[in-house]
Amino acid sequence: MSETKTVLEHHLEVFAAGDVEATMSDYADDATVITHDDVYQGTAEIKELFESLYDEFETTVEFNLERQVIDDDCAYIVWNAETGENIYQHATDTFVIENGNIVTQTLAAKINPK
């Protein structure tokens, strides 16, 4: 199994479990996460992002992974979800993975508040 696939599978597993510490183990110390409204640099800022996401996603969630593509050190997923607060009608994440860690992630989503 490729390193990229291993890291992605772990990331999805710990995201589903809402485990912030395990999630952070996937990221390089100087990683960057880019979203539609902000850029999070380094594990301290990325941890704050995930703590916020896990607050929302810890309630009843319907999550559907529509597509997953692995190409060398890049992983791409397409998904949708419904939380108690929002409907994630269409979302994508791209992950760049080096030496067993996510170094860059982008997230784009069409989010409709309930």
Side-chain angles (χ1 to χ4, degrees), residues 24 27-33 39-48:
M24 295 315 303
Y27 288 87
D29 291 340
D30 59 349
T32 302
V33 175
V39 175
Y40 302 87
Q41 296 189 317
T43 53
E45 290 183 12
I46 294 169
K47 184 175 183 179
E48 288 179 13

Side-chain angles (χ1 to χ4, degrees), residues 27-76:
Y27 288 87
D29 291 340
D30 59 349
T32 302
V33 175
I34 303 166
T35 69
H36 67 283
D37 61 358
D38 215 339
V39 175
Y40 302 87
Q41 296 189 317
T43 53
E45 290 183 12
I46 294 169
K47 184 175 183 179
E48 288 179 13
L49 168 65
F50 277 99
E51 288 171 340
S52 172
L53 286 171
Y54 288 160
D55 284 346
E56 177 183 353
F57 277 78
E58 75 180 354
T59 59
T60 304
V61 175
E62 182 180 322
F63 179 89
N64 300 299
L65 184 62
E66 297 176 11
R67 184 164 191 226
Q68 175 179 307
V69 177
I70 308 278
D71 183 27
D72 196 27
D73 65 352
C74 188
Y76 173 76

